[in-house]
Amino acid sequence: MKGIVNKIIPFSNVDGPGNRLSIFFQGCNYDCLYCHNPETIEIFGEKSENIPEDISVMSIEKILEEIENVAPFISGITVSGGECSLQWRFLTELFTEIKKNWKRLTCFVDSNCSIPLWPEEKKKFIDILDKVMIDIKAFDKKDHILMTGISNENVIRNFKYLVELGKIYEVRTVIVPEIIDNEKTVDNISKLIAEYDKSLKYKIIKYRQNGVREEVLKAYTPSEEYMKKLKKIAEKNGLSNVVIV
Amino acid sequence: MSEQILSIIKNNVLTYEQKLRQLAGAAEGTLNVLNITPDIQEYRDKGIICDLFEGNAPYRARYITPDYEKFMKQGSKFLDIKPAKDIWEATTNLLILYNHVPSITSYPVYLGNIDTLLEPYIKDEEEAYKAIKLFLLQIDRTITDSFCHANLGPHKTKAGEMILKATVELDTMTPNLTLKYDEDITPDDFAVQAIETSLKVAKPSFSNYKMFQKDFYGKDYAIASCYNGLSIGGGAYTLVRLNLAKLVEEAKNEEDLLSHILPDAVNRMARYMDERVKFLVEESGFFESSFLAKEELIHRDRFSGMFGVVGLAECVNKIIGAEKQEDRFGWGRYADDLGVKIIEKLQEYVHNYKVKYCEITDNHYVLHAQVGIDTDYGISPGCRIPIGDEPALPKHIKQTAKFHPYFKSGIGDIFPFDEMASKNPESILDIIKGAFKEGMRYFSVYSTDADVIRITGYLVKKSEMEKLHRNEQVIQQTVVFGLGARENSKILERKIRGNE
């Protein structure tokens, strides 16, 4: 089995705890208005024709080699995308091998959590991964469809499933001004988090134009004051670890 | 001569203290007491051998690392000081002793493991913090030279945490700090606090405790001046450096360099060092007259001589004629392997040259990767990869780690990080843990946003360099060196580390 990889960053300090090797998998089932790396959206199979040169079809061994090079310097690896969970079978195998070779390395999954993770067939995947960073891009179904192209029923169900297993590292929401009601969104998402774990990290991320397709969305970065206002809403709902990025 | 003295006296950019020290140097410069043979002088004239302004008649050891633990226990007869009973007496006693510890700069280059020295006196935390902060302030404003170095760790202590906190609040250049770090002894939270401090004030650096311990036969060690590993209760008589970037000009090819030029240069430089050590030990009377020796805070037989080396990268690139980056030191396999071979040979030649008065280091001089001087142009410190040629961090660390085991009296590398790293200091701790496992001896970090930055081994404020650049007086003499390095060695252009 092979993985379709867009790129690997050997040292990353923004993808979870400590220093991590980050693997960006190719292919996404969302088409977010504010996608920062639209080049990772198109889905290719292992045997697809016309795979662009900068995308790699990688074996487990090849990825393990990359990890081997930096293993002494990292706390773990983070898989991201695109949407890495689309390649969950490959990830299951990859994580299993990583744990075999380096017990101390943690495996984090940065995901939109849109595919059902609760079915029995994915149990091994969920067991072997350490934590998930989950994007909840909107709370209201219609808003979610507007932002991403699909509904968020699976996302919410996955959140509830994972949080009960203690498998969530953080929840994230990107704040784009003037598209959806951000106050309401943050209010609802923080209430949902608070219902399960008030100390869970909730990251609200300022929208930035870099990388975003101008023909799809032209927006501006929200002000620090606006972000602080949103943070207060989340804190009022009981969350103790709200971070503005 | 009198013209030189008058120009020192009339120089308005120098403070009174700086004038005094330069005048003393000029006086010493009139003497000619060392037996320097023509072949040694030839290499001195060519800049291949350089004694780093140690003067013509050594009357104190270059680096002195007193046994401060002993001083805290016994006080001092000469200074009429009794052992301290509380934190105020403890800090005062130390400050008094610092004033009487000489060195090449005239200031103490080593202040002891100040956290463990002060920890027993911490009773009321608020009062202790005030005392520690004043202690550090006093050091910065009176020891006006950032070659002055204090050590911390490897254990986490209350005093250690207070020192780090006060260092950030004071935002000072002096003292330079090193955390002796051992993953199995130093808890992560203390190490992370040290990294957060480094990202604000460019210190402490991290020294590989396990590695140094092994090299010092299980005994504790001192980190003095830039990053010099020395025996506690001893120090270094002298530090002379061999400039490989210039030595290479003498060689016809690799073989000639390794088999003829290098051993001959080692021999010339070691004989020069012998002369310096001999005068200091046998004629200057330093070890007979200093109260530090009489009260056994230093022991003559714990001193050694540091055999410095600089410009390995330029030496390698030149001898193999590397033009393209992929072939150069830090990138090309052949270049890197040759670098290791040169250092291996150098160690062999230096260790085979037996010397008097270096009992503590098995009767030979010890290798030291010298960081350069302010007037060096296009010569990289020790075995470092030249600024502008730095590869990605994982590759850089693995390359540089190959050289660190050879240099027990000091070698290190410096990595500036971007502001994202300060949001995740744990990521830098991961890198340091890995670097030490790979065999690095000494690791320094600073943030490109901070005012205090690490020049080559010592610290200087960017704002102070600006002042001096405008011809204003500055309190620290090290700023002069920093400004020179800024102009000649591109130290503000180091590759900035973040995600890579």
Side-chain angles (χ1 to χ4, degrees):
Chain A
M1 196 191 306
K2 293 199 168 157
I4 318 296
V5 173
N6 182 282
K7 71 172 167 201
I8 295 180
I9 296 185
F11 279 14
S12 165
N13 56 26
V14 292
D15 291 301
N19 196 37
R20 314 188 72 79
L21 175 134
S22 290
I23 308 172
F24 293 83
F25 283 85
Q26 176 69 27
C28 188
N29 54 337
Y30 278 12
D31 187 3
C32 298
L33 293 180
Y34 56 73
C35 180
H36 286 91
N37 30 9
E39 72 283 358
T40 63
I41 295 176
E42 193 176 348
I43 296 176
F44 299 98
E46 227 177 275
K47 297 193 174 77
S48 296
E49 284 172 19
N50 307 326
I51 299 181
E53 255 180 42
D54 49 351
I55 291 169
S56 317
V57 180
M58 295 182 84
S59 63
I60 300 276
E61 292 72 34
K62 185 78 198 131
I63 294 181
L64 293 179
E65 264 174 45
E66 299 273 341
I67 297 171
E68 171 88 47
N69 279 331
V70 296
F73 307 103
I74 55 175
S75 278
I77 73 147
T78 297
V79 294
S80 181
E83 176 44 48
C84 61
S85 70
L86 302 180
Q87 301 184 49
W88 65 273
R89 283 197 169 84
F90 181 79
L91 295 183
T92 310
E93 209 174 300
L94 175 66
F95 292 173
T96 308
E97 286 306 310
I98 289 173
K99 300 279 183 186
K100 243 189 245 170
N101 285 282
W102 304 277
K103 246 192 199 146
R104 60 173 198 92
L105 295 187
T106 55
C107 297
F108 277 47
V109 178
D110 174 354
S111 172
N112 65 26
C113 287
S114 58
I115 63 163
L117 295 173
W118 57 87
E120 190 55 31
E121 60 168 3
K122 295 198 186 79
K123 190 172 179 306
K124 200 175 162 207
F125 173 55
I126 300 301
D127 281 347
I128 193 105
L129 67 83
D130 288 278
K131 297 266 180 183
V132 178
M133 292 106 124
I134 174 172
D135 284 338
I136 307 185
K137 293 170 192 274
F139 192 79
D140 181 86
K141 238 185 265 176
K142 269 190 215 145
D143 285 347
H144 199 271
I145 292 169
L146 172 69
M147 296 301 272
T148 70
I150 17 182
S151 161
N152 63 358
E153 281 155 322
N154 286 345
V155 181
I156 304 294
R157 187 163 167 195
N158 276 330
F159 168 80
K160 292 176 180 172
Y161 170 67
L162 291 171
V163 79
E164 294 215 306
L165 292 172
K167 289 271 184 182
I168 292 187
Y169 177 71
E170 66 184 22
V171 180
R172 303 151 160 184
T173 305
V174 175
I175 307 298
V176 194
E178 297 181 38
I179 308 270
I180 59 171
D181 184 340
N182 289 313
E183 284 92 331
K184 213 170 108 192
T185 303
V186 169
D187 187 36
N188 280 323
I189 295 174
S190 52
K191 272 180 188 152
L192 172 71
I193 299 170
E195 221 177 285
Y196 291 88
D197 181 357
K198 289 190 169 71
S199 64
L200 195 64
K201 191 198 272 187
Y202 182 35
K203 225 184 219 178
I204 45 176
I205 303 169
K206 281 185 202 168
Y207 162 81
R208 290 170 182 90
Q209 183 72 38
N210 47 329
V212 176
R213 294 160 293 185
E214 286 211 0
E215 69 279 13
V216 179
L217 178 73
K218 205 160 169 46
Y220 59 92
T221 302
S223 68
E224 192 62 28
E225 293 74 56
Y226 185 60
M227 296 301 285
K228 279 185 186 151
K229 189 176 155 197
L230 296 177
K231 185 180 174 183
K232 270 208 183 113
I233 293 173
E235 284 170 345
K236 217 178 72 199
N237 289 329
L239 296 192
S240 59
N241 191 3
V242 185
V243 183
I244 299 171
V245 178
Chain B
M1 176 66 201
S2 55
E3 230 170 76
Q4 187 201 348
I5 289 184
L6 195 62
S7 82
I8 295 170
I9 289 176
K10 287 187 170 180
N11 186 337
N12 283 344
V13 181
L14 297 176
T15 61
Y16 167 73
E17 270 193 14
Q18 289 159 0
K19 281 183 189 181
L20 203 62
R21 277 163 228 284
Q22 290 206 7
L23 288 171
E28 193 189 340
T30 61
L31 297 179
N32 190 5
V33 295
L34 303 178
N35 177 26
I36 302 172
T37 56
D39 65 329
I40 294 174
Q41 191 55 39
E42 182 203 341
Y43 269 18
R44 289 183 77 211
D45 293 339
K46 285 181 172 171
I48 294 170
I49 294 176
C50 168
D51 63 28
L52 306 159
F53 318 110
E54 245 176 41
N56 288 358
Y59 56 98
R60 72 308 204 195
R62 184 179 182 104
Y63 302 124
I64 296 171
T65 49
D67 186 343
Y68 290 105
E69 303 284 343
K70 193 169 184 186
F71 166 73
M72 293 304 265
K73 279 192 203 106
Q74 71 186 25
S76 165
K77 248 189 201 150
F78 179 72
L79 298 172
D80 192 15
I81 284 175
K82 298 206 167 46
K85 289 187 292 295
D86 61 32
I87 188 76
W88 298 105
E89 289 182 2
T91 50
T92 302
N93 285 1
L94 283 169
L95 289 168
I96 292 170
L97 182 57
Y98 294 158
N99 200 41
H100 299 277
V101 176
S103 80
I104 178 63
T105 64
S106 291
Y107 296 107
V109 291
Y110 173 65
L111 304 181
N113 232 80
I114 53 174
D115 54 352
T116 43
L117 287 170
L118 296 177
E119 184 72 4
Y121 304 96
I122 295 192
K123 305 285 185 257
D124 177 304
E125 288 193 22
E126 206 177 312
E127 189 185 4
Y129 184 70
K130 191 175 175 194
I132 282 176
K133 201 169 164 183
L134 286 171
F135 172 70
L136 292 171
L137 181 70
Q138 171 97 358
I139 290 169
D140 183 66
R141 300 303 197 273
T142 58
I143 302 175
T144 52
D145 181 289
S146 52
F147 290 116
C148 164
H149 210 131
N151 296 180
L152 303 171
H155 295 276
K156 172 179 165 174
T157 55
K158 272 192 188 127
E161 289 176 299
M162 287 182 192
I163 289 162
L164 291 177
K165 186 176 165 218
T167 296
V168 172
E169 284 180 11
L170 290 167
D171 193 25
T172 50
M173 287 187 270
T174 307
N176 199 342
L177 286 173
T178 288
L179 173 67
K180 293 171 176 172
Y181 178 74
D182 182 339
E183 190 181 334
D184 298 326
I185 301 174
T186 320
D188 279 2
D189 64 336
F190 187 50
V192 165
Q193 192 196 351
I195 289 166
E196 286 168 338
T197 308
S198 271
L199 292 170
K200 288 174 188 139
V201 287
K203 59 192 169 174
S205 292
F206 280 58
S207 80
N208 188 337
Y209 189 70
K210 277 196 180 85
M211 191 174 198
F212 270 110
Q213 281 265 297
K214 198 173 134 252
D215 284 345
F216 283 76
Y217 309 107
K219 290 208 178 89
D220 203 1
Y221 60 96
I223 298 291
S225 191
C226 283
Y227 50 43
N228 312 348
L230 299 167
S231 295
I232 290 174
Y237 301 113
T238 180
L239 163 60
V240 182
R241 76 172 193 185
L242 183 64
N243 188 336
L244 294 172
K246 288 192 174 163
L247 183 68
V248 73
E249 307 286 346
E250 307 290 314
K252 290 197 269 298
N253 51 44
E254 286 172 43
E255 165 60 19
D256 188 36
L257 176 73
L258 288 166
S259 307
H260 305 110
I261 300 297
L262 193 60
D264 173 60
V266 167
N267 183 274
R268 293 190 209 196
M269 188 162 120
R271 280 188 285 120
Y272 180 53
M273 293 172 71
D274 290 349
E275 277 299 306
R276 304 193 64 83
V277 175
K278 197 172 146 214
F279 184 85
L280 176 66
V281 175
E282 296 178 3
E283 298 196 48
S284 76
F286 172 74
F287 289 102
E288 289 76 30
S289 62
S290 169
F291 79 97
L292 295 171
K294 285 180 193 160
E295 298 186 7
E296 297 188 331
L297 299 178
I298 58 172
H299 306 261
R300 209 279 306 139
D301 61 5
R302 289 189 204 167
F303 280 76
S304 187
M306 292 162 65
F307 193 103
V309 50
V310 73
L312 176 68
E314 288 74 21
C315 170
V316 166
N317 288 340
K318 167 87 186 172
I319 201 88
I320 64 171
E323 299 283 337
K324 287 185 251 147
Q325 189 178 60
E326 69 214 55
D327 298 327
R328 289 204 292 265
F329 186 77
W331 293 82
R333 175 81 188 267
Y334 188 83
D336 290 348
D337 287 349
L338 179 61
V340 173
K341 212 166 164 186
I342 292 171
I343 297 303
E344 233 170 39
K345 279 283 174 196
L346 183 76
Q347 176 176 271
E348 183 191 319
Y349 299 141
V350 171
H351 286 194
N352 285 340
Y353 184 94
K354 292 298 166 196
V355 296
K356 229 172 156 183
Y357 305 129
C358 292
E359 300 87 343
I360 193 78
T361 54
D362 302 326
N363 304 305
H364 58 68
Y365 294 132
V366 275
L367 288 185
H368 172 78
Q370 203 268 327
V371 292
I373 50 177
D374 56 330
T375 50
D376 283 342
Y377 186 81
I379 297 168
S380 300
C383 304
R384 280 187 206 154
I385 297 169
I387 291 171
D389 255 359
E390 304 104 314
L393 202 44
K395 190 173 150 73
H396 191 142
I397 290 171
K398 286 183 179 181
Q399 196 270 9
T400 200
K402 288 182 189 157
F403 299 96
H404 283 217
Y406 297 97
F407 293 87
K408 85 172 192 184
S409 77
I411 185 169
D413 220 325
I414 307 173
F415 302 102
F417 280 83
D418 63 17
E419 49 111 15
M420 285 309 283
S422 56
K423 298 199 170 84
N424 185 357
E426 290 84 0
S427 68
I428 296 177
L429 183 58
D430 277 344
I431 295 170
I432 294 172
K433 282 180 183 174
F436 284 180
K437 279 185 203 121
E438 292 288 314
M440 265 188 86
R441 184 181 289 282
Y442 198 80
F443 195 106
S444 304
V445 169
Y446 67 86
S447 161
T448 44
D449 297 338
D451 191 22
V452 183
I453 60 163
R454 190 165 292 271
I455 302 294
T456 49
Y458 55 96
L459 306 168
V460 172
K461 280 186 174 179
K462 288 190 273 191
S463 56
E464 288 284 294
M465 286 195 278
E466 271 311 309
K467 259 198 212 169
L468 186 66
H469 192 61
R470 294 192 303 262
N471 271 331
E472 289 172 32
Q473 280 191 354
V474 287
I475 185 171
Q476 288 249 11
Q477 60 185 23
T478 336
V479 177
V480 181
F481 305 147
L483 186 62
R486 190 183 85 172
E487 316 278 299
N488 292 330
S489 295
K490 301 188 284 187
I491 52 107
L492 295 183
E493 292 164 40
R494 284 196 188 106
K495 186 176 164 87
I496 297 163
R497 310 304 177 145
N499 289 329
E500 46 189 290

